[in-house]
Amino acid sequence: MGETPNHRDLEDGIQKDFSRSMSYGDYLRLDVLLSAQQPLSDPPQHDELLFIVQHQTSELWLKLMVHELRSARALLRTDDLSPALKRLARIKHIQHTLTDQWSVLATLTPSEYAEIRPFLATSSGFQSAQYREVEFLLGNKSADMVKVHAHDADAQDVLAELLHEPSLYDEFLAHLARQGYAVPSRLLTRDFSQPHVSDSELVDVFAGVYAAPGEHWGVYETCEELVDVEDAFQQWRFRHLQVVQRTIGHKVGTGGSSGVDFLRRALDLTFFPELYEVRTRIGQ
């Protein structure tokens, strides 16, 4: 039978019997994945599925981001800069996808969200252990945030470990020191459970890199990749704030935070302060 305008015959070689072979659904465990959406609203609310899918897919992207950040950190530890940069490039694309997803949730009006909010109880994205892993890997450390996960021993153990480990930025600074850059020794032996604090001597180091990019190309490129990552992270934070504000205004969040005001304060946080401060020095 030949093909007609709205019909395409299957080719002879296409696999059709999966009784003894692995299918697409088998490999991806779609039976598990697609049964994980269990709305709780009673009577059922049409928009709850959107809310669940939005956050479940975000958690899948966060899982991949954690995977890539851990790999980039390990590669910097062994001075394998080129593959580390490849990881950072992928991380940026993940971040852009996560930010774009907010536009889907933004179709949820305040009236529609009010119908499902009671069924969320005290659950909140603030409690996402994977999101906290990302922040810890990037350097925003907080012992108090580990306590939030006391109900989940596995998540708490992972975060407690990350709290005391060097962040991605810490490993980058250690890499620079091994390459002969004058990174202050206090930054290499500090208490890694504390957030990194801007250091004027480190700004001097980066000023030298930016004054002669061609002589420090690998380091220069890595600095810009890190700025891209932070910039994308801030865009995600800001888009999150916007969607929350248009959906619940200034109500208290389901997890007990002040909501919009709490999210706005996060915009003042920075992972790599010297990489922004050095820009004031360029061309002077």
Side-chain angles (χ1 to χ4, degrees), residues 14-262:
I14 290 179
Q15 180 82 19
K16 304 182 188 70
D17 181 4
F18 296 97
S19 57
R20 296 185 180 182
S21 302
M22 181 171 65
S23 70
Y24 172 82
D26 294 335
Y27 177 71
L28 294 178
R29 300 293 306 278
L30 293 182
D31 56 335
V32 176
L33 183 65
L34 298 180
S35 64
Q37 297 74 46
Q38 300 290 330
L40 298 178
S41 56
D42 185 19
Q45 298 298 318
H46 173 82
D47 297 295
E48 189 177 5
L49 183 61
L50 161 62
F51 194 86
I52 292 172
V53 169
Q54 169 86 25
H55 289 83
Q56 286 184 343
T57 52
S58 293
E59 288 295 329
L60 287 172
W61 285 120
L62 287 172
K63 182 173 184 175
L64 182 58
M65 195 188 306
V66 168
H67 175 69
E68 300 295 341
L69 281 169
R70 285 182 175 273
S71 178
R73 187 181 61 160
L75 288 164
L76 287 174
R77 190 178 300 136
T78 55
D79 299 322
D80 292 319
L81 193 58
S82 293
L85 291 173
K86 170 67 174 177
R87 304 294 188 268
L88 293 178
R90 181 174 292 166
I91 287 164
K92 290 190 297 183
H93 285 292
I94 297 169
Q95 290 177 296
H96 294 156
T97 297
L98 281 166
T99 300
D100 287 345
Q101 281 192 183
W102 285 120
S103 63
V104 184
L105 194 63
T107 65
L108 188 68
T109 68
S111 301
E112 292 164 345
Y113 179 65
E115 296 295 328
I116 64 175
R117 193 180 194 202
F119 302 97
L120 304 181
T122 56
S123 65
S124 167
F126 176 78
Q127 300 147 12
S128 168
Q130 290 196 125
Y131 173 81
R132 207 56 56 188
E133 283 185 63
V134 169
E135 286 227 330
F136 280 19
L137 282 161
L138 289 174
N140 185 19
K141 305 288 188 74
S142 169
D144 287 340
M145 289 310 309
V146 178
K147 298 174 185 176
V148 172
H149 300 277
H151 64 287
D152 184 341
D154 290 341
Q156 187 176 42
D157 287 347
V158 169
L159 289 173
E161 188 174 278
L162 283 176
L163 180 70
H164 295 281
E165 292 178 349
S167 69
L168 178 74
Y169 194 47
D170 291 320
E171 291 294 359
F172 177 50
L173 299 184
H175 165 75
L176 292 181
R178 289 190 296 272
Q179 305 310 306
Y181 290 87
V183 175
S185 59
R186 60 182 170 274
L187 298 181
L188 306 175
T189 57
R190 69 183 189 86
D191 179 358
F192 294 119
S193 69
Q194 300 300 312
H196 173 80
V197 177
S198 181
D199 188 287
S200 60
E201 290 184 41
L202 185 56
V203 177
D204 293 340
V205 172
F206 288 130
V209 170
Y210 278 84
E215 298 174 20
H216 310 274
W217 190 260
V219 173
Y220 174 74
E221 183 180 6
T222 307
C223 290
E224 286 299 288
E225 288 287 331
L226 290 173
V227 170
D228 285 347
V229 168
E230 173 148 349
D231 184 56
F233 203 97
Q234 289 288 47
Q235 290 180 45
W236 182 92
R237 282 173 170 161
F238 183 66
R239 193 72 183 101
H240 183 195
L241 183 155
Q242 286 183 308
V243 173
V244 170
Q245 185 167 337
R246 70 179 285 164
T247 306
I248 67 169
H250 287 269
K251 291 187 181 75
V252 172
T254 51
S257 76
S258 58
V260 167
D261 291 337
F262 178 78

